[in-house]
């Protein structure tokens, strides 16, 4: 079965529908988009509201956009249908200073498509589309998986692009799986929009963690215990525009990167946790050369 069969019930022919197949080249960018869809849809909609000149022209000629995101190589998961209600031209400066796009840029590691096209005589700036989510097929969000039709072009024509349906899952699955604690690395923008299941896992974990300020590599060792464990402690670090300790207060948390040094038992006492914290400070020399007091 092909995705085009599901579109036949709409009031728009296939020639009026564009397929937006988001296929970011890096894992960080794919995971960031999945997190936005799951926990911050306004950011995702800001991301897909602007496009380079060629895909922009395709979307301008279509009334509906069907959005997909690469979940793994060869597979795309359905995000939803959007009615294209027109667009406004925005300058390069307006795009550069848009607060939502700045957040998207932070989450994706600087790969958001907002750079103005100036080659081949194009005028700087882009169209910003008014894309309104549609109720049709909304129940398939995160459940419908199709085969990637290939090619680098991500804005495609519905009538000429086959999308073989591989699976319709019982429950939505858009957010990426949480890594093993040894591999978990979270940047501040991601920590602020964690999917629920990630947050619940961090709420159960207590342990010793490391903060690295990516502006200069300075490091801080901390301990997490109490009612919300790692989740509560990490969120406290990024809740404001400055850090929460004497040395961290001189720094902007926006550039912090979090990881776990030692995962401890939920039954570990406060003395056991703080003793492990002191040991890690010694091992990493984070008092002499880092941000621990």
């Amino acid at each position: 079965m092909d995705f085009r069969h599901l579109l036949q019930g709409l009031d728009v022919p296939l020639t009026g529908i564009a397929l937006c197949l988001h296929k970011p080249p890096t894992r960080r960018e794919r995971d960031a988009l999945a997190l936005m869809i799951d926990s911050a849809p306004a950011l995702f909609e800001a991301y897909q509201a602007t496009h380079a000149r060629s895909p922009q022209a395709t979307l301008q000629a279509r009334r509906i956009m069907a959005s997909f995101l690469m979940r793994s190589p060869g597979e795309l998961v359905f995000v939803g249908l959007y009615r294209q209600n027109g667009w406004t031209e925005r300058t390069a400066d307006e795009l550069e200073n848009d607060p939502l796009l700045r957040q998207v840029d932070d989450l994706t590691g600087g790969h958001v498509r907002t750079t103005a096209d100036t080659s081949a005589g194009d005028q700087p700036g882009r169209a910003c589309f008014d894309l309104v989510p549609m109720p049709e097929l909304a129940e398939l969000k995160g459940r419908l998986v199709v085969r990637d039709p290939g090619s680098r072009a991500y804005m495609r024509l519905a009538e000429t692009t086959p999308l073989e349906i591989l699976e319709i899952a019982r429950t939505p699955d858009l957010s990426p799986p949480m890594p093993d604690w040894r591999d978990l690395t979270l940047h501040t923008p991601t920590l602020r929009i964690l999917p629920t299941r990630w947050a619940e896992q961090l709420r159960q974990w207590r342990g010793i963690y490391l903060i690295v300020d990516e502006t200069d590599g300075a490091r801080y060792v901390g301990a997490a215990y109490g009612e919300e464990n790692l989740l509560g402690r990490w969120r406290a670090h990024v809740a404001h525009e400055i850090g929460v300790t004497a040395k961290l207060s001189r720094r902007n948390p926006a550039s912090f990167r979090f990881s776990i040094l030692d995962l401890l038992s939920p039954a570990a006492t406060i003395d056991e946790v703080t003793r492990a914290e002191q040991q890690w400070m010694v091992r990493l020399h984070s008092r002499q050369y880092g941000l621990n007091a």
Side-chain angles (χ1 to χ4, degrees):
M1 188 175 181
D2 191 281
F3 178 67
R4 289 174 292 188
H5 293 105
L6 301 181
L7 297 174
Q8 293 176 351
L10 301 178
D11 61 352
V12 175
L14 291 179
T15 53
I17 301 173
L19 305 176
C20 186
L21 312 180
H22 297 291
K23 298 189 286 185
T26 69
R27 176 65 182 269
R28 175 174 176 178
E29 194 175 354
R30 289 198 300 272
D31 288 354
L33 292 184
L35 290 173
M36 284 187 269
I37 294 168
D38 184 73
S39 305
L43 294 182
F44 177 73
E45 290 172 16
Y47 172 86
Q48 67 174 6
T50 64
H51 303 273
R53 289 297 177 182
S54 178
Q56 172 180 295
T58 298
L59 185 55
Q60 284 174 323
R62 304 268 157 156
R63 292 176 55 193
I64 289 176
M65 184 183 84
S67 182
F68 291 82
L69 174 65
M70 177 186 286
R71 185 170 69 175
S72 60
E75 295 184 354
L76 303 165
V77 62
F78 180 62
V79 177
L81 298 178
Y82 296 81
R83 190 168 296 276
Q84 194 264 94
N85 283 347
W87 61 89
T88 56
E89 292 291 337
R90 302 188 67 186
T91 67
D93 285 344
E94 288 174 333
L95 293 172
E96 180 70 23
N97 294 306
D98 184 290
L100 289 179
L101 291 178
R102 281 184 173 274
Q103 290 183 63
V104 171
D105 202 54
D106 289 340
L107 282 162
T108 59
H111 298 291
V112 65
R113 298 186 302 265
T114 57
T115 304
D117 301 302
T118 56
S119 61
D122 284 342
Q123 295 298 313
R126 290 184 177 180
C128 184
F129 289 91
D130 179 14
L131 299 173
V132 180
M134 299 173 59
E136 291 83 353
L137 303 185
E139 71 279 3
L140 296 177
K141 177 181 178 180
R143 298 174 53 218
L144 174 67
V145 181
V146 301
R147 190 183 306 279
D148 182 358
S151 98
R152 295 179 60 185
Y154 71 88
M155 191 69 76
R156 309 286 288 274
L157 307 179
E159 68 273 20
T160 60
T161 305
L163 292 179
E164 178 190 355
I165 296 176
L166 300 177
E167 176 189 3
I168 298 179
R170 289 189 176 185
T171 57
D173 185 17
L174 269 167
S175 61
M178 187 172 181
D180 182 87
W181 71 268
R182 300 169 188 85
D183 302 318
L184 180 67
T185 300
L186 293 178
H187 296 79
T188 293
T190 304
L191 186 56
R192 287 172 170 160
I193 63 162
L194 281 180
T196 301
R197 60 182 178 177
W198 288 37
E200 286 302 318
Q201 190 68 59
L202 288 173
R203 183 177 282 113
Q204 296 174 29
W205 288 349
R206 62 178 50 185
I208 312 306
Y209 61 89
L210 178 70
I211 296 177
V212 175
D213 187 338
E214 294 191 325
T215 60
D216 61 3
R219 54 195 181 274
Y220 170 87
V221 173
Y225 49 85
E227 186 175 349
E228 296 214 317
N229 294 316
L230 280 167
L231 178 68
R233 189 59 180 158
W234 285 3
R235 281 185 167 170
H237 278 295
V238 303
H240 306 288
E241 295 182 359
I242 60 174
V244 298
T245 69
K247 290 188 176 180
L248 290 178
S249 67
R250 306 181 192 127
R251 295 171 176 266
N252 185 349
S255 59
F256 289 176
R257 184 182 73 219
F258 295 77
S259 59
I260 301 173
L261 295 171
D262 201 355
L263 192 66
L264 302 179
S265 165
T269 66
I270 294 177
D271 285 344
E272 290 171 332
V273 175
T274 55
R275 184 164 58 250
E277 178 188 27
Q278 298 300 315
Q279 292 168 345
W280 277 105
M281 289 181 188
V282 172
R283 293 181 198 177
L284 297 180
H285 307 286
S286 62
R287 287 196 182 94
Q288 299 93 321
Y289 306 109
L291 299 173
N292 288 103

PDB file of all heavy atoms in Angstrom, residues 110-122:
ATOM      1  N   GLY A 110      23.304  24.278  15.042  1.00  0.00           N
ATOM      2  CA  GLY A 110      23.655  25.283  14.039  1.00  0.00           C
ATOM      3  C   GLY A 110      23.373  24.880  12.616  1.00  0.00           C
ATOM      4  O   GLY A 110      23.921  25.469  11.684  1.00  0.00           O
ATOM      5  N   HIS A 111      22.497  23.879  12.400  1.00  0.00           N
ATOM      6  CA  HIS A 111      22.257  23.400  11.045  1.00  0.00           C
ATOM      7  C   HIS A 111      20.909  23.820  10.471  1.00  0.00           C
ATOM      8  O   HIS A 111      20.509  23.341   9.420  1.00  0.00           O
ATOM      9  CB  HIS A 111      22.342  21.870  11.013  1.00  0.00           C
ATOM     10  CG  HIS A 111      23.680  21.345  11.391  1.00  0.00           C
ATOM     11  ND1 HIS A 111      24.788  21.517  10.598  1.00  0.00           N
ATOM     12  CD2 HIS A 111      24.112  20.686  12.490  1.00  0.00           C
ATOM     13  CE1 HIS A 111      25.834  20.962  11.176  1.00  0.00           C
ATOM     14  NE2 HIS A 111      25.454  20.455  12.332  1.00  0.00           N
ATOM     15  N   VAL A 112      20.186  24.702  11.135  1.00  0.00           N
ATOM     16  CA  VAL A 112      18.863  25.075  10.649  1.00  0.00           C
ATOM     17  C   VAL A 112      18.980  25.820   9.317  1.00  0.00           C
ATOM     18  O   VAL A 112      19.924  26.576   9.088  1.00  0.00           O
ATOM     19  CB  VAL A 112      18.125  25.941  11.692  1.00  0.00           C
ATOM     20  CG1 VAL A 112      18.814  27.272  11.909  1.00  0.00           C
ATOM     21  CG2 VAL A 112      16.666  26.166  11.290  1.00  0.00           C
ATOM     22  N   ARG A 113      17.989  25.569   8.427  1.00  0.00           N
ATOM     23  CA  ARG A 113      18.033  26.162   7.094  1.00  0.00           C
ATOM     24  C   ARG A 113      17.469  27.581   7.124  1.00  0.00           C
ATOM     25  O   ARG A 113      16.353  27.842   6.683  1.00  0.00           O
ATOM     26  CB  ARG A 113      17.204  25.320   6.124  1.00  0.00           C
ATOM     27  CG  ARG A 113      17.691  23.905   5.944  1.00  0.00           C
ATOM     28  CD  ARG A 113      16.877  23.221   4.858  1.00  0.00           C
ATOM     29  NE  ARG A 113      15.460  23.231   5.184  1.00  0.00           N
ATOM     30  CZ  ARG A 113      14.848  22.255   5.781  1.00  0.00           C
ATOM     31  NH1 ARG A 113      15.511  21.206   6.160  1.00  0.00           N
ATOM     32  NH2 ARG A 113      13.553  22.319   6.024  1.00  0.00           N
ATOM     33  N   THR A 114      18.224  28.542   7.629  1.00  0.00           N
ATOM     34  CA  THR A 114      17.742  29.920   7.630  1.00  0.00           C
ATOM     35  C   THR A 114      18.677  30.864   6.896  1.00  0.00           C
ATOM     36  O   THR A 114      18.386  32.041   6.778  1.00  0.00           O
ATOM     37  CB  THR A 114      17.583  30.444   9.068  1.00  0.00           C
ATOM     38  OG1 THR A 114      18.830  30.318   9.749  1.00  0.00           O
ATOM     39  CG2 THR A 114      16.527  29.665   9.820  1.00  0.00           C
ATOM     40  N   THR A 115      19.800  30.360   6.392  1.00  0.00           N
ATOM     41  CA  THR A 115      20.725  31.216   5.667  1.00  0.00           C
ATOM     42  C   THR A 115      20.096  31.663   4.361  1.00  0.00           C
ATOM     43  O   THR A 115      19.565  30.860   3.603  1.00  0.00           O
ATOM     44  CB  THR A 115      22.040  30.465   5.379  1.00  0.00           C
ATOM     45  OG1 THR A 115      22.560  29.995   6.605  1.00  0.00           O
ATOM     46  CG2 THR A 115      23.041  31.386   4.711  1.00  0.00           C
ATOM     47  N   ALA A 116      20.171  32.956   4.083  1.00  0.00           N
ATOM     48  CA  ALA A 116      19.560  33.484   2.862  1.00  0.00           C
ATOM     49  C   ALA A 116      20.296  32.981   1.635  1.00  0.00           C
ATOM     50  O   ALA A 116      21.509  32.825   1.629  1.00  0.00           O
ATOM     51  CB  ALA A 116      19.587  35.009   2.890  1.00  0.00           C
ATOM     52  N   ASP A 117      19.541  32.705   0.558  1.00  0.00           N
ATOM     53  CA  ASP A 117      20.136  32.298  -0.707  1.00  0.00           C
ATOM     54  C   ASP A 117      20.490  33.537  -1.518  1.00  0.00           C
ATOM     55  O   ASP A 117      19.642  34.386  -1.778  1.00  0.00           O
ATOM     56  CB  ASP A 117      19.144  31.439  -1.501  1.00  0.00           C
ATOM     57  CG  ASP A 117      18.729  30.202  -0.728  1.00  0.00           C
ATOM     58  OD1 ASP A 117      19.619  29.421  -0.374  1.00  0.00           O
ATOM     59  OD2 ASP A 117      17.524  30.046  -0.481  1.00  0.00           O
ATOM     60  N   THR A 118      21.735  33.635  -1.924  1.00  0.00           N
ATOM     61  CA  THR A 118      22.159  34.805  -2.687  1.00  0.00           C
ATOM     62  C   THR A 118      22.778  34.423  -4.020  1.00  0.00           C
ATOM     63  O   THR A 118      23.192  35.286  -4.779  1.00  0.00           O
ATOM     64  CB  THR A 118      23.205  35.614  -1.893  1.00  0.00           C
ATOM     65  OG1 THR A 118      24.291  34.746  -1.551  1.00  0.00           O
ATOM     66  CG2 THR A 118      22.600  36.171  -0.618  1.00  0.00           C
ATOM     67  N   SER A 119      22.863  33.128  -4.311  1.00  0.00           N
ATOM     68  CA  SER A 119      23.461  32.699  -5.565  1.00  0.00           C
ATOM     69  C   SER A 119      22.465  32.823  -6.703  1.00  0.00           C
ATOM     70  O   SER A 119      21.253  32.923  -6.502  1.00  0.00           O
ATOM     71  CB  SER A 119      23.931  31.249  -5.450  1.00  0.00           C
ATOM     72  OG  SER A 119      22.836  30.392  -5.177  1.00  0.00           O
ATOM     73  N   ALA A 120      22.983  32.808  -7.927  1.00  0.00           N
ATOM     74  CA  ALA A 120      22.157  32.811  -9.142  1.00  0.00           C
ATOM     75  C   ALA A 120      21.183  33.973  -9.171  1.00  0.00           C
ATOM     76  O   ALA A 120      20.084  33.873  -9.711  1.00  0.00           O
ATOM     77  CB  ALA A 120      21.399  31.484  -9.273  1.00  0.00           C
ATOM     78  N   GLY A 121      21.581  35.091  -8.591  1.00  0.00           N
ATOM     79  CA  GLY A 121      20.751  36.281  -8.681  1.00  0.00           C
ATOM     80  C   GLY A 121      19.606  36.344  -7.707  1.00  0.00           C
ATOM     81  O   GLY A 121      18.792  37.262  -7.757  1.00  0.00           O
ATOM     82  N   ASP A 122      19.497  35.374  -6.796  1.00  0.00           N
ATOM     83  CA  ASP A 122      18.403  35.406  -5.817  1.00  0.00           C
ATOM     84  C   ASP A 122      18.557  36.600  -4.878  1.00  0.00           C
ATOM     85  O   ASP A 122      19.650  37.001  -4.523  1.00  0.00           O
ATOM     86  CB  ASP A 122      18.403  34.129  -4.966  1.00  0.00           C
ATOM     87  CG  ASP A 122      17.850  32.939  -5.728  1.00  0.00           C
ATOM     88  OD1 ASP A 122      17.178  33.167  -6.735  1.00  0.00           O
ATOM     89  OD2 ASP A 122      18.118  31.797  -5.314  1.00  0.00           O
TER      90      ASP A 122
END
